[in-house]
Amino acid sequence: MHAKTRTRRTAVSAVLCAAFALGTAACGPFSDDAKPAGPFGGMTGSQIVDKAFAATRAAKSVTVDVDLKSEEPTKGYLSVDTRGKCAGTVSTGTASTTEVIKVDEKDVYLRFDETFLREQTKGESAEVQEAMLKELKGKWVKAPVSDPENKEMAAVCDLQELLGGFEQGASGIAKGAETTVDGQKALALTEPGDGGETNTVYVATQGAPYILRIVTKGGDEPGTITFSKYGKPVDAKAPEAKDVVVTG
């Protein structure tokens, strides 16, 4: 399966189901007969990427930093683990930001900024807008994960869901240069996407072969997703009851 399908699925889950693909320059397939060299020896580009996604899926926790340059710019910074904990923020458009906390598999806490709240009441009377602001501004909304309306948001906090769409065995992935990502040594692997974009996956060359960054150039949804803080505890605590509004 091509990289676009693989990365699009991940991004959909990672940032409120906002679809995007990630990568850079395209190259031809890496030959299995090439002389072994570099940190992964004689492994093909496809084998390295498969190994990297397997290692990333096996991680107990990770922090994901997303920056999309699509029609509606989207940014997200979320720490998630395999026990259902999650904490971070998601921003859409130019100013609207939502804070997210999840401490178990039952509920998700959301806190919306004033820009978001006013957008939800656009067209309503001033009285309605002010009533909503009075009720929700600065408050956390506690919502059940089981509610279909909340499942997409809850998926942001599911590490396996974030990576569940990655497929193995993609062809046409070529080894690129060794480089660094936020001070960590990495190998760049490139693959063309389906929509005119090009994809690059940066894989750690020391320690576990985690994915450190995926970048897209060209296409309709260029952007970057960076993975960091593998295995670090997620600091997610339920807000105080006085600051919570319960729904559902």
Side-chain angles (χ1 to χ4, degrees), residues 30-172:
F30 182 82
S31 172
D32 288 333
D33 298 324
K35 180 180 178 180
F40 293 99
M43 294 178 66
T44 67
S46 179
Q47 289 170 337
I48 296 170
V49 170
D50 285 351
K51 186 179 181 70
F53 281 117
T56 301
R57 280 194 293 266
K60 299 298 183 182
S61 63
V62 66
T63 293
V64 183
D65 189 350
V66 177
D67 186 2
L68 307 183
K69 307 297 185 182
S70 54
E71 183 175 346
E72 182 177 49
T74 302
K75 293 185 177 183
Y77 188 83
L78 295 153
S79 296
V80 299
D81 68 17
T82 55
R83 297 185 298 171
K85 285 190 174 183
C86 172
T89 62
V90 176
S91 300
T92 56
T94 58
S96 178
T97 299
T98 300
E99 295 174 77
V100 183
I101 294 178
K102 187 167 172 283
V103 297
D104 54 34
E105 301 296 343
K106 183 180 178 182
D107 300 299
V108 60
Y109 297 88
L110 307 173
R111 183 160 65 180
F112 309 105
D113 65 5
E114 183 171 340
T115 299
F116 180 91
L117 294 173
R118 288 194 180 280
E119 287 177 352
Q120 301 310 300
T121 56
K122 188 178 296 184
E124 300 287 350
S125 66
E127 290 78 8
V128 170
Q129 292 188 29
E130 292 308 313
M132 175 174 278
L133 286 174
K134 183 177 180 180
E135 179 182 9
L136 297 180
K137 186 178 179 181
K139 297 289 187 179
W140 290 90
V141 176
K142 181 180 180 180
V145 173
S146 59
D147 188 328
E149 293 185 1
N150 303 322
K151 284 188 176 180
E152 290 183 359
M153 180 64 78
V156 171
C157 294
D158 186 331
L159 182 57
Q160 298 309 313
E161 181 73 13
L162 295 181
L163 301 170
F166 287 96
E167 300 290 344
Q168 292 186 327
S171 61

Side-chain angles (χ1 to χ4, degrees), residues 2 4 20 45 71 86 98 114 146 163 196 205 220 237-238 242 244:
H2 290 293
K4 176 163 182 169
F20 68 101
E71 183 175 346
C86 172
T98 300
E114 183 171 340
S146 59
L163 301 170
T205 60
D220 296 330
K237 299 179 181 178
K242 65 181 180 63
V244 174

Side-chain angles (χ1 to χ4, degrees), residues 61-65 77 182 184 211-212 226-231:
S61 63
V62 66
T63 293
V64 183
D65 189 350
Y77 188 83
D182 294 335
Q184 292 182 267
I211 295 170
L212 300 180
T226 300
F227 300 82
S228 64
K229 300 181 181 179
Y230 281 97

